[in-house]
Amino acid sequence: MNISKCDICKKKLKGDPVRAGIGIFREKDFCFDCGKPILDFLKKHKFINKENKK
């Protein structure tokens, strides 16, 4: 079992984390509260146009 923590606030991640990064090795996991500003920035500057849903 893999227990992940948010790379900003160090809270235990529940559910699907917000994952941001370049490539496989530089990805970081964030809780939704810490990841929301990152997602908003990426959407505003058109780096992403939708969230990935599995």
Side-chain angles (χ1 to χ4, degrees):
M1 186 166 124
N2 187 10
I3 299 174
S4 297
K5 292 186 177 184
C6 176
D7 288 322
I8 294 175
C9 68
K10 307 299 182 200
K11 284 191 238 175
K12 182 178 173 184
L13 296 174
K14 296 179 183 178
D16 292 330
V18 175
R19 182 168 282 169
I22 300 172
I24 297 170
F25 300 108
R26 296 185 194 169
E27 288 184 348
K28 302 290 182 181
D29 292 332
F30 305 105
C31 65
F32 185 75
D33 294 333
C34 295
K36 178 119 174 65
I38 296 167
L39 287 174
D40 292 342
F41 174 83
L42 293 173
K43 286 178 186 177
K44 178 181 175 184
H45 295 285
K46 298 183 181 166
F47 289 111
I48 59 173
N49 54 10
K50 63 180 180 177
E51 295 179 26
N52 289 336
K53 300 268 182 175
K54 291 184 180 181

